[in-house]
Amino acid sequence: MHLPIPQSLRFQDASLSRAFAGKGRIPMSTFVERYIDGSIEVAGDLHDFMRAREEWANYRFTWDQARFLITKFIPSLLIHSKAADEKFVVGHYNRGNDFFEAFLGPSMVYTSAVFGTPDEGLEAAQARKIRRVAERLQVERGDRLLDIGCGWGTLAIAMAEEHGADATGVTLSSKQADFASARIRERSLCDRARILTIDYRDIPRTRFDKISCLEMAEHVGVKNFQRFLRQVGDLLEDDGLFFLQIVGLRRPPEALVVRNDRGGYWSAADFTWAMFMSKYIFPGADASMPLSFVSTQFEKAGLEIRGIDNVNMHYGMTIHRWYRNWERNREKVIAAYGERWYRLWHLFLAWSVFTGEQGRADCLQITAHKSLPQFNRSRFVGA
């Protein structure tokens, strides 16, 4: 017996309505495509509708998914060249600073915040997260700090302005670099903060006391992840500290999924989510892996993990605030970028809230240093 498709889901296309008449569920991938192109409307709050998705969606594999997997996802997984990564990153982040500000808000931080209370505002929570990074890195005045994947420069600027570090940010996006550089000039920080518009693989071979990388390492790809960590080790002073914030997949309990023939675990819902993110939001960002993968890669690269926090619930709270910002700026976004871009990000943000909240993904904050016998580990006692 099929439950009726919720009345809040409205088909704008007659043929689509006929195709699902009397059926209890619609493939999630079909809903995604049709919501984005306007063939489906949702009455009421999209976030609330997505919260009830198990009542109306199924995760049946579709030909559209198969085609994307074969022609786009697998090739990007295997290549991850500088040219390919630049195409992905620049295509995403050079869309327009106003596009991102419409949901990120004034802080312009595109990574999970850390909340002190459930009702804390987004800007305060992002400032709290940046203070946490400074604390974990034990940033001191005069430290040479490198922020890989610096975005719009908020963290690098705070390290220079509030903690006295000599901060260098790295991004591939010229629009991000221009935005960050303007803020650096406005704050008269040019003597101790700068932004380099280069690929992470081209970072000058010098040494830094502290290195941060917040939600950029996903973009280096599984193929290059070990090489990336070894590069971090080469750039880090022997007594330096490294802070990595990375979105990772959580390996679910065996009872919830079908065990595949290679010993791994994957659910149809996870697959559908991953294909959506890779196709529309972060193409090429395939290094979101379970903690077991990440920690093993750290060890192989000669990096000793000092501490790990999982802030996935904080990420859900962050994204929910981004979602509300986006809705408040609806008219402005549509006027500048069109209905389709608004609908795509509206769906992305409404759906993303649940990944950490329901345990489908982690957001890991990892503090590490070189695994050297002479490293002064007592510096963490009482810190």
Side-chain angles (χ1 to χ4, degrees), residues 96-202:
N97 293 331
D98 59 335
F99 181 91
F100 292 95
E101 188 174 14
F103 66 94
L104 298 180
S107 64
M108 294 296 282
V109 179
Y110 202 1
T111 57
S112 177
V114 174
F115 291 83
T117 61
D119 59 352
E120 186 171 37
L122 177 62
E123 299 302 310
Q126 289 292 12
R128 179 188 304 278
K129 186 269 300 295
I130 291 174
R131 289 196 301 272
R132 172 182 282 200
V133 176
E135 290 166 2
R136 298 293 165 81
L137 286 175
Q138 301 181 358
V139 176
E140 298 178 351
R141 183 168 298 277
D143 276 348
R144 292 159 296 163
L145 180 139
L146 173 67
D147 187 28
I148 305 174
C150 67
W152 291 270
T154 307
L155 186 145
I157 291 169
M159 295 300 175
E161 187 171 38
E162 299 171 19
H163 301 278
D166 183 86
T168 299
V170 171
T171 177
L172 266 175
S173 168
S174 60
K175 289 194 175 181
Q176 287 184 332
D178 291 344
F179 184 97
S181 297
R183 282 191 165 181
I184 288 170
R185 290 192 296 271
E186 289 168 3
R187 290 164 169 76
S188 301
L189 294 171
C190 294
D191 60 329
R192 60 179 187 274
R194 67 209 58 83
I195 306 297
L196 305 180
T197 312
I198 56 174
D199 188 281
Y200 73 90
R201 284 159 285 208
D202 296 326

Side-chain angles (χ1 to χ4, degrees), residues 30-293:
T30 300
F31 170 79
V32 166
E33 300 292 337
R34 297 309 186 185
Y35 182 80
I36 293 169
D37 71 17
S39 301
I40 286 177
E41 291 289 351
V42 173
D45 185 76
L46 180 62
H47 170 75
D48 291 340
F49 182 75
M50 295 299 291
R51 184 171 289 279
R53 61 197 179 282
E54 299 305 324
E55 299 176 6
W56 54 263
N58 67 51
Y59 297 96
R60 188 172 68 244
F61 190 65
T62 66
W63 282 111
D64 283 342
Q65 286 179 318
R67 185 165 49 248
F68 174 75
L69 184 68
I70 294 169
T71 64
K72 300 292 185 181
F73 182 78
I74 293 176
S76 72
L77 186 74
L78 297 174
I79 297 172
H80 267 293
S81 64
K82 287 183 181 180
D85 289 352
E86 181 176 6
K87 180 180 178 181
F88 291 145
V89 172
V90 171
H92 181 81
Y93 291 104
N94 272 1
R95 184 169 305 126
N97 293 331
D98 59 335
F99 181 91
F100 292 95
E101 188 174 14
F103 66 94
L104 298 180
S107 64
M108 294 296 282
V109 179
Y110 202 1
T111 57
S112 177
V114 174
F115 291 83
T117 61
D119 59 352
E120 186 171 37
L122 177 62
E123 299 302 310
Q126 289 292 12
R128 179 188 304 278
K129 186 269 300 295
I130 291 174
R131 289 196 301 272
R132 172 182 282 200
V133 176
E135 290 166 2
R136 298 293 165 81
L137 286 175
Q138 301 181 358
V139 176
E140 298 178 351
R141 183 168 298 277
D143 276 348
R144 292 159 296 163
L145 180 139
L146 173 67
D147 187 28
I148 305 174
C150 67
W152 291 270
T154 307
L155 186 145
I157 291 169
M159 295 300 175
E161 187 171 38
E162 299 171 19
H163 301 278
D166 183 86
T168 299
V170 171
T171 177
L172 266 175
S173 168
S174 60
K175 289 194 175 181
Q176 287 184 332
D178 291 344
F179 184 97
S181 297
R183 282 191 165 181
I184 288 170
R185 290 192 296 271
E186 289 168 3
R187 290 164 169 76
S188 301
L189 294 171
C190 294
D191 60 329
R192 60 179 187 274
R194 67 209 58 83
I195 306 297
L196 305 180
T197 312
I198 56 174
D199 188 281
Y200 73 90
R201 284 159 285 208
D202 296 326
I203 295 172
R205 294 181 64 86
T206 184
R207 289 291 187 93
F208 295 88
D209 303 297
K210 310 292 165 61
I211 299 178
S212 58
C213 179
L214 278 68
E215 298 180 37
M216 173 274 177
E218 298 89 330
H219 294 276
V220 309
V222 172
K223 174 187 174 184
N224 294 330
F225 197 72
Q226 177 61 204
R227 185 182 304 170
F228 168 72
L229 291 178
R230 289 183 181 275
Q231 180 187 5
V232 168
D234 290 341
L235 293 168
L236 192 64
E237 292 283 8
D238 287 350
D239 62 349
L241 296 177
F242 173 45
F243 181 95
L244 177 72
Q245 182 166 307
I246 186 169
V247 176
L249 299 176
R250 178 178 294 182
R251 186 187 296 268
E254 185 172 1
L256 299 183
V257 293
V258 176
R259 185 180 178 93
N260 67 38
D261 58 3
R262 301 186 68 178
Y265 298 85
W266 198 255
S267 71
D270 290 331
F271 177 81
T272 301
W273 166 256
M275 291 300 98
F276 166 73
M277 292 293 286
S278 182
K279 182 176 182 178
Y280 287 113
I281 309 301
F282 296 121
D286 56 72
S288 290
M289 299 291 284
L291 174 59
S292 56
F293 169 85

Side-chain angles (χ1 to χ4, degrees), residues 236 238-242 298 302-306 367-372 375 377 379-380:
L236 192 64
D238 287 350
D239 62 349
L241 296 177
F242 173 45
F298 266 71
L303 296 171
E304 181 177 327
I305 293 176
R306 182 50 46 187
T367 307
H369 54 80
K370 290 184 179 181
S371 184
L372 300 172
F375 185 88
R377 291 162 179 80
R379 65 193 293 178
F380 300 105

